[in-house]
Amino acid sequence: MAKVLICDTILRDAHQSQAATRMRLDEMLPICDKLDAVGYHALEVWGGATFDSCLRFLNEDPWERLRQLRKALPNTKLQMLLRGQNILGYKHYADDVVDEFVKKSIENGIDIIRVFDALNDTRNMEQAVKSIKKYGGHAQLAMSYTISPVHTTEYFVELAQKFEAMGADSICIKDMANLLLPFDAYELVKQLKEKVKVPIQLHTHNTSGTGDMVLMKAIEAGVDIVDTALSPLGNGTSQPATEPLVATLKGTQYDTGLDLQQLSEIAVHFRKVADRLKADGFLDPKVLSVDINTLLYQVPGGMLSNLISQLKQQNASEKLMDVLAEVPRVREDMGYPPLVTPTSQIVGTQAVLNVLMGERYKMNSKETKGLLRGEYGQLPAPVNEEVRKKIIGDEPVITHRPADDIPPEMDKYRAECAEWIQQEEDVLSYALFPQVALNFFKARKEQQEGKSVAAAAPEAPKAEAPAPNYQLGKAIGVNMDVKVYPK
């Protein structure tokens, strides 16, 4: 058995899961020389919600962040998370946008791109894989792990075999909700190692307190790489902490080869960052406590907090247990989609509506309709046809790859933001988050010129896709701004 390799998420998923993705670049760069000397398999530094957060909240260019990190981490592979045809946004984009985004990500310093689709629909991952291979990146395909009558070990093994046939350089078990239990992890990894030849990586969280045990059983079964997060932002809703695992494996056949003293010194820096995030109100101590509700209701921690928030705003907090009971029923009606962005928002909001309206599917979001129309891709299991008819009537259901209906978009986006382009990457920032990017471009120009250009900023196109369910939430007074577990 070769040593276990570590991918540390401290610069991406750790602060996304615990602190609303608010770690700044100036808090990363001073410690990069030490991170680079550790000998990690990779550092996850980009993708997920970091792109949105940089533009929307931190006044940072996400592309410049990536370039700076690449320069500061010359000896370590850099990894990112990509939502397949959704890229890093909340709708499907045309193939030319996916291709250009992958190209620029690799050009600016990304080595490994982890691609997932909320429905595990491989068609929504095809273009990303083609582009990664074309531009010389490492294509890691991730299976969104969940539990249902159709999501068996056999299901995931077959999915992994499809990934390998598509050209995956490695495969990730993406346990975004911490639903994978230790002995199930052992069995899944064991079968994957028997059936596919590429390396297997495991990504889990410690929300329900099982994360460390899940990693250990997966390691015993032969997993090649595991995701962990340095202890100042590890555990809880984040990944299991790096240092305890390194210490546990030291001197065994699985020894990571990492230096615990070195990691401890780096942790001192991130402890200060965590203190700042706590002081600014982004790091709530509650994210570190064990939340068994994930295992009881199969609802990710972030999704649960959003359901509570929605009900509180409707003065209906007492309905929480009704909503938690309704979530699995809605999920079954919709063909058992895994609960990850954007399906977690869709299922969760629909469950809230069903309970608040007093009648199931009396009011439905356009995202619910889109999911049942096949606009998000192939659902894992057959849907409840009575429910589908009630919601979309006789409208046709898409059975082909949804992106086949989207004509090339890059030229359109380039024309719309032409006056603001200072680098080709700006077109991609605009494509993903039009209004947010325009606000950033305006502020950037003001800073560069030292004068106000407020009057010059154009309106964003009306076609911009809001975060899932935002318009519906506005209509009934439910806050949809909180992104549910945006992985």
Side-chain angles (χ1 to χ4, degrees):
M1 169 72 192
K3 70 176 184 179
V4 173
L5 301 175
I6 301 282
C7 171
D8 206 301
T9 66
I10 189 70
L11 300 181
R12 205 286 294 179
D13 199 15
H15 66 104
Q16 178 174 321
S17 294
Q18 282 195 7
T21 330
R22 293 302 206 282
M23 192 189 297
R24 305 186 305 257
L25 179 62
D26 63 17
E27 295 173 310
M28 302 176 184
L29 292 176
I31 199 67
C32 278
D33 58 337
K34 291 186 177 177
L35 282 171
D36 198 39
V38 168
Y40 285 120
H41 163 71
L43 281 165
E44 192 193 42
V45 301
W46 213 58
T50 57
F51 198 96
D52 185 356
S53 187
C54 279
L55 290 170
R56 191 184 301 266
F57 303 118
L58 302 177
N59 194 31
E60 284 185 30
D61 179 354
W63 299 100
E64 183 58 25
R65 171 182 285 203
L66 176 55
R67 288 189 286 266
Q68 292 276 349
L69 289 173
R70 176 72 285 170
K71 186 177 177 184
L73 296 160
N75 303 303
T76 306
K77 288 178 183 172
L78 302 187
Q79 183 169 311
M80 73 166 288
L81 180 67
L82 189 80
R83 298 183 194 130
Q85 210 72 30
N86 293 154
I87 310 181
L88 300 177
Y90 300 103
K91 66 173 187 176
H92 279 187
Y93 294 87
D95 288 339
D96 65 332
V97 182
V98 176
D99 185 73
E100 187 68 12
F101 192 92
V102 168
K103 177 185 177 186
K104 288 299 178 184
S105 298
I106 293 171
E107 275 182 14
N108 282 285
I110 288 295
D111 299 292
I112 302 167
I113 300 183
R114 177 179 291 171
V115 184
F116 82 96
D117 177 68
L119 300 178
N120 288 321
D121 187 340
T122 57
R123 300 172 306 171
N124 292 334
M125 305 162 86
E126 285 171 3
Q127 183 57 55
V129 176
K130 287 177 192 169
S131 298
I132 294 166
K133 307 293 271 190
K134 181 163 78 169
Y135 299 115
H138 175 111
Q140 181 176 99
L141 299 194
M143 51 181 77
S144 296
Y145 183 84
T146 190
I147 298 170
S148 84
V150 295
H151 291 96
T152 60
T153 299
E154 291 71 30
Y155 168 93
F156 288 113
V157 170
E158 285 178 19
L159 184 60
Q161 290 172 316
K162 288 179 188 172
F163 285 169
E164 188 175 40
M166 288 170 68
D169 296 302
S170 61
I171 290 168
C172 175
I173 304 165
K174 180 176 164 55
D175 178 28
M176 62 280 172
N178 193 203
L179 289 173
L180 180 61
L181 292 171
F183 287 94
D184 295 329
Y186 181 90
E187 188 57 36
L188 177 55
V189 170
K190 189 167 177 291
Q191 289 201 31
L192 288 174
K193 292 299 293 179
E194 289 172 1
K195 298 292 174 62
V196 297
K197 303 293 180 230
V198 298
I200 305 298
Q201 187 158 344
L202 174 58
H203 172 95
T204 190
H205 293 251
N206 218 356
T207 318
S208 55
T210 61
D212 296 294
M213 294 179 279
V214 169
L215 292 189
M216 281 304 299
K217 292 305 291 183
I219 288 166
E220 289 177 2
V223 78
D224 300 284
I225 312 155
V226 295
D227 288 5
T228 60
L230 281 161
S231 57
L233 290 169
N235 291 321
T237 52
S238 178
Q239 280 67 57
T242 306
E243 301 97 313
L245 185 69
V246 169
T248 299
L249 299 179
K250 187 172 177 58
T252 73
Q253 60 182 317
Y254 310 114
D255 196 327
T256 64
L258 304 189
D259 186 325
L260 199 57
Q261 182 61 42
Q262 213 173 1
L263 295 174
S264 179
E265 290 169 10
I266 295 170
V268 171
H269 170 82
F270 284 110
R271 213 163 284 127
K272 293 174 187 170
V273 176
D275 287 341
R276 194 276 299 173
L277 291 166
K278 201 176 296 177
D280 287 353
F282 295 117
L283 183 57
D284 187 329
K286 282 190 282 191
V287 301
L288 294 175
S289 60
V290 170
D291 184 358
I292 203 66
N293 282 310
T294 299
L295 298 177
L296 290 176
Y297 305 111
Q298 299 177 15
V299 169
M303 181 178 174
L304 179 65
S305 62
N306 198 36
L307 293 176
I308 292 169
S309 173
Q310 289 179 13
L311 290 171
K312 190 175 180 182
Q313 289 176 53
Q314 295 300 300
N315 295 314
S317 297
E318 75 283 359
K319 302 278 190 185
L320 178 61
M321 297 312 293
D322 293 334
V323 170
L324 288 175
E326 179 65 5
V327 165
R329 290 196 288 262
V330 171
R331 189 167 168 244
E332 181 179 0
D333 287 340
M334 294 185 182
Y336 294 109
L339 295 178
V340 64
T341 299
T343 49
S344 53
Q345 288 99 324
I346 297 170
V347 171
T349 300
Q350 192 59 55
V352 169
L353 288 174
N354 286 0
V355 170
L356 293 183
M357 292 295 116
E359 179 185 328
R360 304 186 77 226
Y361 307 109
K362 181 178 182 180
M363 179 182 281
N364 309 290
S365 71
K366 74 180 177 65
E367 289 79 20
T368 292
K369 292 174 184 174
L371 190 67
L372 292 173
R373 275 197 211 103
E375 291 173 11
Y376 291 85
Q378 174 81 41
L379 288 157
V383 305
N384 183 325
E385 289 299 340
E386 285 182 24
V387 169
R388 175 142 64 187
K389 186 160 183 65
K390 182 173 182 178
I391 292 175
I392 69 168
D394 295 323
E395 291 183 37
V397 176
I398 296 170
T399 56
H400 54 265
R401 188 181 75 114
D404 288 342
D405 293 336
I406 310 174
E409 297 175 308
M410 278 302 292
D411 289 345
K412 176 191 77 166
Y413 289 132
R414 191 175 287 108
E416 287 175 0
C417 67
E419 66 177 289
W420 300 94
I421 298 173
Q422 295 186 10
Q423 56 178 352
E424 188 61 21
E425 289 85 350
D426 287 342
V427 182
L428 292 162
S429 298
Y430 174 83
L432 266 57
F433 302 104
Q435 186 61 64
V436 173
L438 286 178
N439 291 339
F440 173 79
F441 297 156
K442 185 182 84 167
R444 178 177 67 183
K445 193 166 184 181
E446 287 176 348
Q447 192 174 19
Q448 289 167 347
E449 297 182 356
K451 63 182 181 180
S452 175
V453 291
E459 288 290 321
K462 300 299 181 191
E464 177 183 359
N469 301 314
Y470 178 77
Q471 289 171 326
L472 173 75
K474 232 173 137 184
I476 64 167
V478 176
N479 177 20
M480 301 299 174
D481 286 329
V482 182
K483 294 179 180 64
V484 181
Y485 234 75
K487 305 310 297 172

